[in-house]
């Protein structure tokens, strides 16, 4: 999603520098130059989720799973995705991935076609 990169770049370039230096390396400092806490993010996320009438099982961590899934389905190298999200083991990344049935069928077809082509 190129727009996401542009949005974060705009924030880092134009908005983030306006925060006090006390925020240090925090990318998303609070209005008092502190760091956002997990609970604050979860509470705000829940407000928006509930206002939109979305399922209460949807939590911020779901965004992480979605990110991993979309990167894998978009063809990113699984080892890169694993490093990007900070997983020590590929199996942990695999647990976070919820690829669609269509994606699995397409990948299986590619593997089978390659294997059958090599046997000929």
């Amino acid at each position: 999603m190129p727009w996401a990169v542009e949005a974060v770049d705009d924030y880092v370039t134009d908005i983030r520098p306006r925060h006090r230096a006390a925020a240090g390396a925090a990318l998303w400092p609070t209005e008092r130059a502190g760091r956002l806490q997990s609970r604050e993010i979860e509470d705000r996320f829940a407000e928006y989720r509930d206002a939109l009438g979305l399922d209460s099982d949807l939590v911020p961590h779901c965004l992480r799973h979605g990110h991993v899934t979309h990167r894998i389905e978009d063809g990113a190298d699984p080892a890169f995705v694993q490093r990007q999200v900070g997983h020590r083991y590929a199996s942990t990344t695999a647990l976070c991935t919820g690829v669609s049935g269509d994606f699995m069928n397409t990948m299986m077809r590619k593997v089978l076609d390659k294997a059958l082509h090599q046997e000929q």
Side-chain angles (χ1 to χ4, degrees):
M1 293 181 242
W3 63 266
V5 174
E6 292 172 16
V8 173
D9 182 56
D10 181 53
Y11 169 80
V12 170
T13 303
D14 299 325
I15 306 299
R16 179 64 184 83
R18 296 178 185 175
H19 289 278
R20 291 184 281 185
L27 182 59
W28 312 106
T30 66
E31 65 277 1
R32 294 183 181 157
R35 289 181 175 265
L36 284 174
Q37 301 299 311
S38 297
R39 186 80 237 153
E40 294 168 307
I41 294 168
E42 291 165 4
D43 290 347
R44 181 65 58 94
F45 187 90
E47 285 178 32
Y48 291 138
R49 177 200 63 215
D50 295 345
L52 293 168
L54 299 173
D55 191 317
S56 62
D57 288 339
L58 185 62
V59 295
H61 194 76
C62 294
L63 298 174
R64 182 176 171 89
H65 286 253
H67 171 77
V68 168
T69 298
H70 288 298
R71 293 297 100 215
I72 296 296
E73 286 189 340
D74 288 346
D77 177 24
F80 170 76
V81 175
Q82 177 186 340
R83 287 189 306 274
Q84 188 180 42
V85 296
H87 290 157
R88 187 174 195 174
Y89 303 104
S91 58
T92 306
T93 307
L95 290 172
C96 285
T97 307
V99 295
S100 67
D102 286 343
F103 177 78
M104 288 188 279
N105 290 337
T106 299
M107 294 307 295
M108 183 60 76
R109 173 61 26 208
K110 286 180 181 179
V111 169
L112 289 173
D113 287 347
K114 185 176 179 180
L116 293 173
H117 181 71
Q118 287 178 355
E119 289 179 11
Q120 295 176 356

